[in-house]
Amino acid sequence: MYKILKKKQLNDSITLMEIDAPFIAKKALAGQFIIYRVDEHGERIPLTIADYDREKGSITIIFQTIGASTKELAMLNEGDSILDVVGPLGVATEYGNVKRVAVVGGGVGCAIAYPQAKALHKMGVEVDLIAGFRSKDIVILEDEMAAVSTHFHLCTDDGSAGYHGFVTNKLKELIDGGAKFDEVIAIGPVPMMKFVCKTTEPYGIKTIVSLNPIMVDGTGMCGGCRVTVDGKIRYACVDGPDFDGHKVDFDELMRRNSTYKEQEKAHLCRLTGGVRNA
Ligand SMILES: Cc1cc2nc3c(=O)[nH]c(=O)nc-3n(C[C@H](O)[C@H](O)[C@H](O)COP(=O)(O)OP(=O)(O)OC[C@H]3O[C@@H](n4cnc5c(N)ncnc54)[C@H](O)[C@@H]3O)c2cc1C
Ligand code: FES
């Protein structure tokens, strides 16, 4: 059992949890993830390790309540326990010999962009963190992101805070304004990552994306997380989740991610308050 040491609501739908998981904390690196199962009836759900504390033996996850399984997790409180947490899974992000990097996060993707920016900042890299949200009221981790970036660019679609526009517009403005990025790292909704790649491609800037296909076992056996990269089959759980974004077939990923839309319709039990898929 994995005890929840801390729970914090970052906005109406995004929750931070610090979990007691000493063996995972010992080995975790930026870019890796865990798979949890709330209880013996639970689905296996992947979430990125947003932070870890090796001395305390804890990991932090930041997740958006979307459907049944994330709602079940969000219902737990400090002191409660999660049945299984497996990890660290996936290949840790490899940082090349880089001087200036733009880390682009979209929505809850900022929770994953944050540890990437933190790792690069610690290495002495000049980091432009471009964080996009629909509006001011759902902005998360603003102070934390500002603290681990050289230049922090908060963007909102409606202009209610920071730059008025999409992260791709901000990124293009920075590149056209003379910013020399050795690499761009994009993490967020699949369409956002696709358009970040379309933005950087004409400039020839290497762009890494963190893919979020449907995962089941997380060990390369079930094939659920199959993606096509450079025309070849890859399994995001063991070959990724980071890939060269200019080579990813995003349209296939979007199609595969919507395969179970009907089954994912959550059922909230009025008797127990529990949530299970219909
Ligand atoms: C490597 C990886 C890291 C991730 N990190 C985070 C994170 O740090 N924070 C966060 O909020 N979300 C993260 N996600 C997405 C998260 O796993 C889904 O939001 C979650 O599975 C939704 O489950 P649900 O039952 O609540 O929703 P559902 O209603 O069942 O599904 C909603 C959507 O979530 C996705 N999804 C559902 N089941 C899975 C599954 N088994 N594997 C992957 N995606 C699924 C699908 O796109 C689906 O359409 C990550 C996904 C991957 C693959
Ligand atoms: S999740 Fe099963 S192969 Fe990757």
Side-chain angles (χ1 to χ4, degrees), residues 13-15 31-36 43-50 61-72 108-109 111-112 210-216 225 236-237 240-241 256-261 263-266 277:
S13 69
I14 299 182
T15 310
Q32 292 186 296
F33 64 96
I34 54 107
I35 289 189
Y36 78 85
E43 287 183 294
R44 296 166 60 81
I45 297 292
L47 293 176
T48 303
I49 301 170
I61 49 171
I62 298 177
F63 61 95
Q64 185 158 31
T65 42
I66 296 195
S69 300
T70 44
K71 278 183 189 153
E72 277 184 323
V108 72
I112 308 168
S210 178
L211 299 186
N212 53 351
I214 291 178
M215 291 189 178
V216 184
C225 68
C237 68
R256 283 178 63 80
N257 272 0
S258 60
T259 308
Y260 302 105
K261 275 273 172 285
Q263 291 88 334
E264 281 157 357
K265 282 183 185 154
N277 285 348

Side-chain angles (χ1 to χ4, degrees), residues 41-206:
H41 306 292
E43 287 183 294
R44 296 166 60 81
I45 297 292
L47 293 176
T48 303
I49 301 170
D51 212 346
Y52 51 80
D53 185 328
R54 296 204 204 284
E55 281 180 19
K56 199 172 166 189
S58 66
I59 57 164
T60 299
I61 49 171
I62 298 177
F63 61 95
Q64 185 158 31
T65 42
I66 296 195
S69 300
T70 44
K71 278 183 189 153
E72 277 184 323
L73 182 61
M75 280 179 180
L76 299 181
N77 289 307
E78 277 177 21
D80 291 341
S81 294
I82 301 167
L83 180 66
D84 299 324
V85 180
V86 181
L89 298 169
V91 181
T93 306
E94 281 173 26
Y95 305 111
N97 187 16
V98 286
K99 290 195 176 65
R100 187 169 181 182
V101 173
V103 181
V104 186
V108 72
C110 290
I112 308 168
Y114 166 67
Q116 301 279 3
K118 192 175 168 184
L120 286 161
H121 191 64
K122 215 170 152 188
M123 286 162 55
V125 174
E126 185 175 354
V127 177
D128 286 65
L129 210 170
I130 308 174
F133 298 89
R134 277 196 314 278
S135 64
K136 184 181 178 186
D137 47 309
I138 55 167
V139 172
I140 59 165
L141 302 173
E142 188 173 354
D143 294 341
E144 289 85 347
M145 290 191 287
V148 298
S149 48
T150 320
H151 315 281
F152 178 52
H153 313 276
L154 175 66
C155 309
T156 50
D157 299 357
D158 65 0
S160 51
Y163 174 84
H164 185 178
F166 296 137
V167 288
T168 41
N169 300 125
K170 184 72 210 177
L171 178 63
K172 189 168 180 345
E173 276 184 20
L174 289 170
I175 299 169
D176 289 341
K180 297 261 176 291
F181 295 121
D182 299 306
E183 201 171 294
V184 170
I185 299 176
I187 305 156
V190 180
M192 183 214 96
M193 293 192 282
K194 176 180 169 174
F195 285 106
V196 168
C197 293
K198 280 197 182 296
T199 305
T200 54
E201 203 161 19
Y203 300 92
I205 303 171
K206 183 178 173 190

